Amino acid sequence: MPTRILPAVGDADAVRSITTLLSQLPDAEPVAPVTDSTQLVDTLARLAAESVDELPEVVVVHERIGPVPALELIREVALRFPAVGVILVTSDASPGLFQAAMDYGARGLVALPLSYEELASRVQAVAQWSVGVRRHLGSGGDVFTGVGGTVVTVSGAKGGVGATLTAIQLALAAQASGRATALVDMDLQAGDIASYLDVQFRRSVVDLAAINDISPRVLADAVFRHDTGLALLLAPGEGERGEEVTDRAARQVVSALRSRYEVVVIDCGAQLGGAGAAAVEMADKALLVTTPDVIAVRGAKRAVRMWDRLQIRKAEETTVVVNRHTRATEIQPPLVRRITGTAVAATTVPAGFKELQGAVDSGRIHELDSRSTVKQALWALAGELGLAKAAGGDRKGGRFRSDRGSVSFRRRKGGGG
């Protein structure tokens, strides 16, 4: 049986040299190369959705792959697709890098410039390992094999603009439409999701920080199952413990959640740390919540520029959500778009302090009245973002049966919900 090999190489010259050499290996079947980390993960997810047997036995990752660094990419592949063996191709063959590559989940390392003998030996060994793993998985295994879900981060331009409320309602809308949804509090020092939902909890995201291999069972032990059906992964009760969640740990947690849930909504708060930055970088959709006032919009512009400088996310890949919007304010969404250089959600969220006060004070924001204009707008935003779907028979006249009292998606001219 031929060995299927998927090269993941961003450099055009390296693509040619690697594919040429791979095609000369005995019983090798190189497939079309992928040129970046996103394309690699999407390709593997699509194949895994059909069957584990559809996955290539070997993935060859070049050291200059991007935008996710090679070692982090290897970690994600090893976690989400444990039946695939990964080989790192690198110009640094030092013992330190070799050990790091093994720690991140690689099954082999090949030094540049490539040697036919070394590459053939590594590919053969990794392919045999992969076949053995698949034989074991055939009898049933506790592994991630599902298609990756959609990850959405919600950040605040500054404190108090409504990022947490937005994240909660987006998650509730996704869950109510029939999608398995996880809500994560990555505001590690000042997270309030537990207070908003009146939750008493023992475990938090910190409990996953020191775990190198987050299995479905370990993940299930850490999440809190809310009455609404949401899977909650909460910030630690002791804010100082948030420092234990490094950017590497955050990447592992997000990858594990993405593999287990259709929608993952992450509240990153207004302060950017390493964990939050990793989540924003990995997100399919990154939202930045602002209010239509000078201070908040300046904060949004500052955050967007910082993300760009740190190469976390480009402005055009960020969507600003305008909260507490009124027609009377001087700062309207088109102006926010020009100032920040981002996309701006077509759905704006109106000011509704009186609507929210009772639900916030009681810690029952999930029971917010469906007649609330704030809730209607945020659920419409979920529809605009593609997070909420109407399952057949679950929706009548634009209403979700699973929501108490239900709420309608409001249509807006030129786009929207």
Side-chain angles (χ1 to χ4, degrees):
M1 180 178 177
T3 299
R4 292 162 296 179
I5 309 170
L6 174 58
V9 189
D11 181 81
D13 293 334
V15 168
R16 285 191 293 271
S17 62
I18 289 177
T19 53
T20 298
L21 204 54
L22 289 175
S23 64
Q24 297 173 6
L25 300 182
D27 298 323
E29 185 181 304
V31 298
V34 295
T35 57
D36 61 49
S37 57
T38 301
Q39 189 180 1
L40 172 61
V41 174
D42 288 347
T43 299
L44 294 177
R46 175 174 50 80
L47 295 172
E50 299 176 17
S51 168
V52 172
D53 292 333
E54 296 298 319
L55 289 166
E57 284 79 18
V58 180
V59 169
V60 177
V61 175
H62 192 273
E63 62 180 354
R64 291 199 298 272
I65 194 72
V68 175
L71 289 179
E72 297 292 350
L73 178 60
I74 290 170
R75 166 68 73 183
E76 184 168 0
V77 172
L79 175 65
R80 293 180 59 181
F81 313 102
V84 175
V86 184
I87 296 174
L88 174 64
V89 175
T90 176
S91 56
D92 178 10
S94 65
L97 181 63
F98 180 84
Q99 184 60 52
M102 298 304 106
D103 289 343
Y104 275 77
R107 302 303 307 177
L109 184 147
V110 177
L112 290 169
L114 291 175
S115 159
Y116 175 87
E117 291 76 13
E118 184 182 11
L119 183 61
S121 173
R122 282 292 87 212
V123 167
Q124 183 180 16
V126 172
Q128 290 176 350
W129 173 87
S130 176
V131 170
V133 169
R134 293 174 197 218
R135 190 178 299 117
H136 170 72
L137 292 180
S139 61
D142 192 16
V143 296
F144 294 124
T145 56
V147 178
T150 300
V151 175
V152 180
T153 55
V154 184
S155 306
K158 67 180 189 65
V161 296
T164 299
L165 175 65
T166 300
I168 292 172
Q169 290 298 328
L170 290 178
L172 288 171
Q175 180 70 30
S177 72
R179 288 187 163 179
T181 304
L183 176 60
V184 185
D185 199 339
M186 202 68 81
D187 188 358
L188 297 173
Q189 292 186 343
D192 285 325
I193 287 179
S195 297
Y196 272 96
L197 297 176
D198 192 24
V199 169
Q200 302 295 323
F201 64 99
R202 291 185 301 108
R203 298 193 180 276
S204 72
V205 66
V206 170
D207 293 292
L208 299 177
I211 299 176
N212 291 324
D213 188 9
I214 304 176
S215 70
R217 189 168 302 163
V218 169
L219 184 62
D221 287 341
V223 301
F224 179 92
R225 182 65 61 178
H226 193 257
D227 293 342
T228 58
L230 286 177
L232 304 180
L233 186 57
L234 301 167
E238 304 83 14
E240 66 275 12
R241 295 200 64 195
E243 296 180 359
E244 298 176 32
V245 185
T246 63
D247 55 343
R248 176 183 174 184
R251 288 184 185 279
Q252 294 183 67
V253 170
V254 173
S255 294
L257 289 165
R258 190 201 294 271
S259 302
R260 207 64 178 170
Y261 297 93
E262 291 182 81
V263 176
V264 180
V265 180
I266 305 174
D267 178 9
C268 293
Q271 299 296 321
L272 185 70
V280 172
E281 183 183 0
M282 295 179 70
D284 299 290
K285 304 175 190 291
L287 306 183
L288 185 60
V289 181
T290 186
T291 48
D293 58 83
V294 172
I295 302 301
V297 173
R298 282 179 177 172
K301 181 179 180 180
R302 186 166 55 246
V304 168
R305 287 185 171 181
M306 179 173 63
W307 290 1
D308 189 41
R309 288 195 305 272
L310 297 177
Q311 298 183 343
I312 296 169
R313 203 168 194 92
K314 297 179 180 178
E316 57 268 25
E317 297 173 347
T318 303
T319 300
V320 169
V321 177
V322 180
N323 188 24
R324 300 173 196 153
H325 174 262
T326 65
R327 292 184 178 181
T329 184
E330 293 184 10
I331 300 178
Q332 293 294 322
L335 179 58
V336 175
R337 182 184 297 110
R338 288 198 299 272
I339 292 173
T340 61
T342 65
V344 175
T347 305
T348 58
V349 184
F353 298 100
K354 291 183 179 179
E355 298 175 4
L356 299 173
Q357 194 67 53
V360 171
D361 287 347
S362 63
R364 310 289 291 179
I365 199 66
H366 52 290
E367 295 180 356
L368 184 63
D369 194 315
S370 295
R371 292 171 296 181
S372 161
T373 58
V374 173
K375 179 174 181 176
Q376 289 178 7
L378 288 171
W379 283 44
L381 177 62
E384 178 184 336
L385 297 171
L387 304 182
K389 65 180 181 180
D394 287 340
R395 186 177 174 185
K396 285 189 175 182
R399 297 178 180 271
F400 291 104
R401 287 183 179 177
S402 53
D403 176 46
R404 298 172 191 160
S406 72
V407 64
S408 300
F409 277 4
R410 298 187 298 175
R411 301 284 181 181
R412 302 174 67 90
K413 293 183 179 180

